[in-house]
Amino acid sequence: MRCSVLLTSAILVLAGCTDHDVFPPSVRIVWPENGDTCRATTTVKVVAVDDAGVAAVELVVDGIRLATDSLGRDDTFDFHWDTRRHLPGSVHSLAASASDRSGNIATSSVVHVVIDPAAGTRHRGRIGEDETWRAQDSPHIVEGTLRVDARLRLEPGVVVLLLADASIVVGSGGSAAFQAVGAADSFIYFSSASTNPAPGDWCAIEFRPR
């Protein structure tokens, strides 16, 4: 009787081992392709497949997690990447990782893409007449010291990137206004034009009294 019990236990242990999933999913970025040029909001498409089902897919841009999707459709996971937050002409790396329901993780090959060099609008010198920066013309790139001596209005959704040592000076030569009012679903974004933004990349937004 004792031998029979031991044999039964061994069979149960072996059966449990064969059911354990040790194989990670298959994952790859199918759009954009390596070397492609991206503009505005780009839909990054990732295909992930696993026999036991994909639990989640994560998109990483330049080593930083952009978003995670646990739904997908027909093994395809879509991510909306706003390239307006990057300097036109800059190169960026995309990668995707997928996990299955057993915790196995796989990472795709890296895809390098270029932000359309012709995208965006550049500003420098002086604004002497009322002007509106539109979201569809983003990113708005500030070079050097931009002097605002009129009414400058920024639409909701505008992206402003400042180059190294750039600044915006409002009211340096007379009456001026700087209006930037975003919305709950369309805020206004200010950042450095650097690929890896850091404090001190650009100078300031300065308001001078009349």
Side-chain angles (χ1 to χ4, degrees), residues 12-100:
L12 290 174
V13 171
L14 289 173
C17 290
T18 57
D19 289 339
H20 182 61
D21 180 13
V22 296
F23 299 102
S26 168
V27 56
R28 62 191 179 96
I29 297 175
V30 296
W31 182 262
E33 297 181 350
N34 199 54
D36 278 350
T37 297
C38 298
R39 183 186 179 96
T41 299
T42 296
T43 299
V44 179
K45 291 185 174 293
V46 178
V47 171
V49 180
D50 187 84
D51 291 342
V54 174
V57 174
E58 179 179 278
L59 178 66
V60 175
V61 179
D62 298 329
I64 300 174
R65 183 179 67 183
L66 178 70
T68 301
D69 185 4
S70 59
L71 299 177
R73 183 175 181 180
D74 298 329
D75 299 324
T76 300
F77 298 77
D78 291 346
F79 299 89
H80 301 296
W81 176 36
D82 188 356
T83 68
R84 300 177 308 161
R85 296 189 181 186
H86 301 287
L87 188 66
S90 60
V91 178
H92 299 271
S93 62
L94 308 179
S97 63
S99 58
D100 62 19

Side-chain angles (χ1 to χ4, degrees), residues 90-172:
S90 60
V91 178
H92 299 271
S93 62
L94 308 179
S97 63
S99 58
D100 62 19
R101 304 187 189 286
S102 297
N104 300 305
I105 301 175
T107 303
S108 72
S109 298
V110 175
V111 172
H112 294 95
V113 298
V114 181
I115 307 302
D116 188 354
T121 309
R122 292 183 176 262
H123 305 273
R124 66 179 307 162
R126 177 177 177 270
I127 295 177
E129 298 181 356
D130 291 355
E131 186 173 303
T132 297
W133 290 4
R134 299 184 300 172
Q136 68 186 52
D137 298 326
S138 294
H140 292 267
I141 303 163
V142 178
E143 304 175 339
T145 299
L146 178 65
R147 301 188 181 279
V148 180
D149 293 323
R151 179 177 179 271
L152 175 60
R153 174 179 174 270
L154 275 59
E155 289 183 346
V158 159
V159 175
V160 181
L161 301 180
L162 292 95
L163 294 175
D165 300 325
S167 61
I168 299 175
V169 178
V170 181
S172 61

